[in-house]
Amino acid sequence: MPVPKSEFDALPPCDFYTPAELLENEQMYTVYEIARLLQGLDPDADIDRETEDILLDWAIPWIMTNADELVVAEPRDEDEPGYYGLKE
């Protein structure tokens, strides 16, 4: 059910990082690492599975929205996810 804006103390703008602000130019990242970075966490932060699932809900659309600025690499092993990085 919708909630009135007046019930909140602050309403900052809904700004997301650009790929260049979030990712290092010479590095490739998994969707899991990007999900952590979008929340200001270290890419290797230890988080529980439930939290990781929620963070992925943010990361996957971010990757799709910013696809023109990203490159993708196939997984190195079949049990590993793919990698994303900045286009040069």
Side-chain angles (χ1 to χ4, degrees):
M1 171 176 251
V3 177
K5 288 181 179 179
S6 61
E7 290 191 19
F8 299 93
D9 293 333
L11 297 169
C14 186
D15 292 332
F16 291 98
Y17 293 103
T18 66
E21 292 171 330
L22 190 68
L23 308 176
E24 296 291 328
N25 195 40
E26 297 300 320
Q27 300 294 318
M28 296 292 285
Y29 302 85
T30 67
V31 66
Y32 304 102
E33 293 165 335
I34 291 171
R36 288 173 176 82
L37 289 170
L38 285 168
Q39 296 300 314
L41 300 172
D42 185 75
D44 298 328
D46 186 28
I47 57 176
D48 62 78
R49 180 66 187 180
E50 185 174 300
T51 301
E52 186 168 68
D53 289 344
I54 293 168
L55 298 184
L56 287 175
D57 287 345
W58 288 85
I60 293 167
W62 183 89
I63 290 170
M64 293 172 66
T65 299
N66 292 289
D68 290 345
E69 298 177 50
L70 301 172
V71 294
V72 62
E74 294 292 324
R76 296 174 296 178
D77 294 315
E78 59 185 63
D79 63 340
E80 184 179 72
Y83 287 84
Y84 302 88
L86 292 174
K87 273 187 183 174
E88 304 235 0

